Amino acid sequence: MPRARTAFHELSVGQVADRSGVAISALHFYERKGLIRSTRTASNQRRYARDTLRRVAFIRASQRVGISLTAIREALDQLPSERTPTHDDWTRLSAAWRTELDARIAHLQALRDDLTECIGCGCLSLRSCHLTNPRDVLGREGPGARRLPQTD
Ligand code: FES
């Protein structure tokens, strides 16, 4: 089967998947979310610029520390068009995310501490359980059944 010719600076989706270790379906998903871009050949096959590999690495590293795809896209959108994140970009962006990550860590530590009190209990009391009704916030909303608190 003849293979489509690929310019040296372009990669097929299979090549990006092989080199990045990211599934083709995930690459298509990233593209639908506007995180990476491709062009199309005359036969409608996707072609990615080589710097896509660095973008994918940036996306994966960011996801690994819990950054949402929306926040990652906003970060990538701050970069000049078609430029890959540099070391300086990563330093700046990760510093901006540090506050958010610190808050999440503090929240998880508080949940862990609350869970410690609940292990072996199982009552899930709306009056006294820290997991189902932290600091009785639902009681301040009025009497009757209240929903479980939303998590971020
Ligand atoms: S499950 Fe009993 S206090 Fe939380």
Side-chain angles (χ1 to χ4, degrees):
M1 177 180 224
R3 295 187 61 148
R5 292 181 63 93
T6 304
F8 176 74
H9 61 282
E10 294 179 327
L11 300 169
S12 70
V13 68
Q15 290 171 317
V16 175
D18 285 346
R19 294 186 186 194
S20 67
V22 174
I24 290 174
S25 59
L27 294 171
H28 290 171
F29 179 74
Y30 291 160
E31 191 168 349
R32 282 196 305 276
K33 293 294 182 183
L35 296 160
I36 59 174
R37 294 181 189 89
S38 68
T39 57
R40 298 289 180 140
T41 64
S43 57
N44 202 31
Q45 293 179 332
R46 288 179 169 90
R47 290 293 179 262
Y48 296 89
R50 297 185 80 80
D51 62 13
T52 301
L53 291 171
R54 189 152 178 87
R55 278 191 173 244
V56 170
F58 179 85
I59 294 164
R60 298 301 278 192
S62 302
Q63 283 187 293
R64 214 164 163 187
V65 294
I67 304 299
S68 70
L69 287 178
T70 301
I72 295 168
R73 191 184 67 224
E74 288 170 0
L76 288 172
D77 285 348
Q78 293 174 19
L79 300 176
S81 181
E82 304 302 324
R83 193 176 62 104
T84 56
T86 63
H87 179 269
D88 288 345
D89 292 328
W90 176 254
T91 301
R92 180 174 47 83
L93 293 170
S94 60
W97 289 336
R98 185 180 179 92
T99 303
E100 180 184 335
L101 290 174
D102 286 345
R104 261 196 244 167
I105 289 167
H107 179 70
L108 286 172
Q109 287 173 331
L111 281 176
R112 180 202 57 203
D113 295 345
D114 289 344
L115 181 62
T116 300
E117 295 176 21
C118 295
I119 289 174
C121 176
C123 72
L124 297 175
S125 165
L126 289 178
R127 184 175 299 276
S128 59
C129 179
H130 296 290
L131 290 179
T132 59
N133 188 13
R135 292 177 292 285
D136 196 25
V137 291
L138 297 176
R140 288 194 292 271
E141 294 179 8
R146 297 286 158 190
R147 62 178 170 75
L148 290 171
Q150 296 292 311
T151 57
D152 294 332

